[in-house]
Amino acid sequence: EALALLDRLNVPGASVGQQIRLAGAYYALGSHDRAASLASAAAAQPGGSATSVEPLVRLLAQTGQDETALGVIQRATGGSTTSAAARRLYSILAVASADRLREDGMRAEAFDVLQSGWSVAPQDPAILVSLGRLYQDGDMTQEAAQVFELALQRKPGDPDALTGLAD
């Protein structure tokens, strides 16, 4: 029933923001193909500040559209990789992509993505938390705990790092 409601809200001419919110809702409800389609359509639209495209970059990465997400990042940041906004977007891409790969059982690839993300956004606690989840999935609990503690040093009280430590 929730999907039927989303289908009614998905009207031609919806703004990019509406498309992104709908795509996020479809993704949350498990309709990943619809989410991917809407995210791709939103990515094809021009413009968007670095802050406004964060949810789009996350959705594109979650649905396996990493190259499209890179294009959105480059458009939003003017090709910068050193600004704070660019580092944030690259971190979002790395974390969402690595989590997707990890969930698909592709741990080595997920590690490579996180390593690449770390080189652009060093010290980012979200990347550390994703690495901790990767270690947990590989039954490397001691390493996971160390990484979650590092994330908490960089961002005290981080709920994801705290959850990781509790698991």
Side-chain angles (χ1 to χ4, degrees):
E1 188 162 318
L3 288 174
L5 175 60
L6 289 177
D7 288 341
R8 286 195 301 258
L9 294 173
N10 188 8
V11 295
S15 72
V16 172
Q18 290 170 318
Q19 288 177 325
I20 295 169
R21 285 188 295 280
L22 280 171
Y26 277 121
Y27 189 85
L29 292 172
S31 186
H32 297 177
D33 289 340
R34 288 183 191 168
S37 177
L38 277 171
S40 182
Q45 302 301 313
S49 68
T51 304
S52 71
V53 299
E54 285 182 12
L56 177 59
V57 168
R58 184 175 293 106
L59 276 165
L60 289 166
Q62 288 171 327
T63 58
Q65 300 177 78
D66 296 1
E67 292 300 318
T68 303
L70 281 171
V72 168
I73 292 170
Q74 290 169 351
R75 250 189 358 246
T77 63
S80 171
T81 58
T82 57
S83 71
R87 287 192 311 270
R88 170 101 177 115
L89 289 171
Y90 283 110
S91 172
I92 289 168
L93 173 60
V95 168
S97 296
D99 286 347
R100 182 192 75 243
L101 291 166
R102 175 183 52 81
E103 290 166 3
D104 289 344
M106 302 172 72
R107 291 190 193 116
E109 292 86 347
F111 183 84
D112 290 344
V113 166
L114 290 172
Q115 188 173 33
S116 175
W118 186 258
S119 71
V120 175
Q123 308 300 315
D124 189 302
I127 292 175
L128 289 171
V129 169
S130 184
L131 179 61
R133 288 190 295 259
L134 181 61
Y135 281 146
Q136 281 179 327
D137 275 11
D139 292 325
M140 300 172 72
T141 55
Q142 193 169 35
E143 291 85 350
Q146 290 172 345
V147 172
F148 288 130
E149 288 175 11
L150 279 173
L152 287 168
Q153 289 174 6
R154 283 158 182 75
K155 186 177 177 186
D158 181 275
D160 293 326
L162 290 169
T163 300
L165 270 176
D167 290 343

